[in-house]
Amino acid sequence: MKLLLLGPPASGKGTQASKIAEYLGIPHISTGDIFRENISMKTELGKIVKSYLDNGELVPDEIVTRVVVDKLDKGDYRKGFILDGFPRTIPQAKSFQRNYEFDQVIYIEVDDETVMKRISGRRVCPNCGAVYNVYFNPPRYKGRCDICSQQLITRKDDNPEAAKKRLREYKEKTEPLVEFYDKQNLLRRVNGLKPPEEVFDDIISIINPTTH
Ligand code: AMP
């Protein structure tokens, strides 16, 4: 199963992708996570992409596409993969299509107001990666991770200026992918305003209709 999860920032792509990956037993590839890891390890790639992430701008197409295609070419993805956060532009989708194809594209729909509220409330654990939201899913003890007690942090690109820019970039460059994949009859829509467990069930019933 080769899947793409598409949706605005903070639509729940990352959360859903890791749950689906576990459920289907296939790898989850998040370009955002790859970049953040490289930034924290101060690799060459990390140094190149840092300012784009900090400012909420998209990393240039050639860089992202090379990272993803290299990863897919080198790894064992015979059972498939879930891509979360790539492609994010029409040129990325076209380059990707020269080598790979998706079986399905899941579009998680969330309105702009909810996106901004989710971004401003998001807190992450720098140690174990758990994600919370002060409005929708607060930790048990304020500012502390439920799992490892680490002090939670706000992602640098979750500040209001970068968040607005990410939403603008999304509308301008990523949203056209909805029509692009719809025309190929690959697009399936889910309502991202539902609780995460329901969104997960909806996605599973789309990709695996016989079990639901
Ligand atoms: P995410 O964690 O998916 O929200 O991605 C965080 C940031 O990584 C984005 O705001 C971009 O700066 C960068 N990024 C991730 N995936 C892509 C992509 N496919 N194209 C361009 N930039 C990307």
Side-chain angles (χ1 to χ4, degrees):
M1 170 72 67
K2 296 185 227 78
L3 269 187
L4 165 63
L5 290 199
L6 189 62
S11 54
K13 296 188 301 287
T15 309
Q16 295 299 336
S18 44
K19 287 178 73 177
I20 299 161
E22 196 183 321
Y23 177 87
L24 295 175
I26 58 177
H28 164 203
I29 302 171
S30 153
T31 41
D33 286 350
I34 293 174
F35 291 145
R36 280 184 289 275
E37 268 160 37
N38 276 273
I39 291 170
S40 70
M41 287 162 65
K42 298 193 165 54
T43 65
E44 272 314 300
L45 175 65
K47 286 178 200 154
I48 295 169
V49 301
K50 186 173 185 315
S51 64
Y52 295 102
L53 270 87
D54 286 353
N55 295 324
E57 286 162 12
L58 290 184
V59 172
D61 289 335
E62 319 75 67
I63 300 177
V64 194
T65 306
R66 188 161 28 87
V67 166
V68 174
V69 171
D70 272 5
K71 191 169 175 66
L72 290 176
D73 285 349
K74 286 189 191 128
D76 178 3
Y77 294 98
R78 271 170 296 185
K79 283 176 76 185
F81 49 77
I82 301 182
L83 276 178
D84 146 22
F86 178 93
R88 243 174 165 110
T89 66
I90 298 278
Q92 289 178 19
K94 287 187 173 162
S95 323
F96 180 77
Q97 247 172 18
R98 276 186 226 120
N99 302 292
Y100 294 95
E101 58 185 14
F102 291 114
D103 297 311
Q104 268 171 346
V105 175
I106 308 288
Y107 174 37
I108 306 181
E109 293 185 276
V110 177
D111 61 274
D112 296 357
E113 204 181 311
T114 308
V115 165
M116 291 310 290
K117 193 154 187 203
R118 283 188 185 176
I119 291 182
S120 66
R122 178 154 60 186
R123 300 291 180 273
V124 295
C125 174
N127 182 46
C128 74
V131 181
Y132 302 87
N133 190 291
V134 295
Y135 306 114
F136 306 112
N137 170 34
R140 235 170 308 151
Y141 300 102
K142 193 167 174 243
R144 293 265 161 208
C145 179
D146 289 354
I147 300 163
C148 65
S149 303
Q150 186 82 19
Q151 176 107 41
L152 300 176
I153 58 165
T154 303
R155 245 170 70 169
K156 208 164 179 184
D157 58 350
D158 279 347
N159 74 70
E161 272 321 298
K164 270 188 224 143
K165 186 145 347 127
R166 281 159 69 206
L167 190 56
R168 263 204 313 274
E169 290 267 74
Y170 171 78
K171 298 245 167 231
E172 206 179 295
K173 299 179 182 153
T174 309
E175 218 166 49
L177 289 175
V178 172
E179 197 188 334
F180 179 84
Y181 288 117
D182 206 12
K183 278 193 179 144
Q184 299 183 31
N185 202 22
L186 293 175
L187 195 87
R188 304 288 176 272
R189 292 166 191 269
V190 296
N191 177 357
L193 297 179
K194 291 186 184 177
E197 310 74 48
E198 286 180 39
V199 178
F200 175 72
D201 284 345
D202 290 349
I203 296 175
I204 296 301
S205 62
I206 290 171
I207 58 182
N208 213 355
T210 48
T211 60
H212 266 62

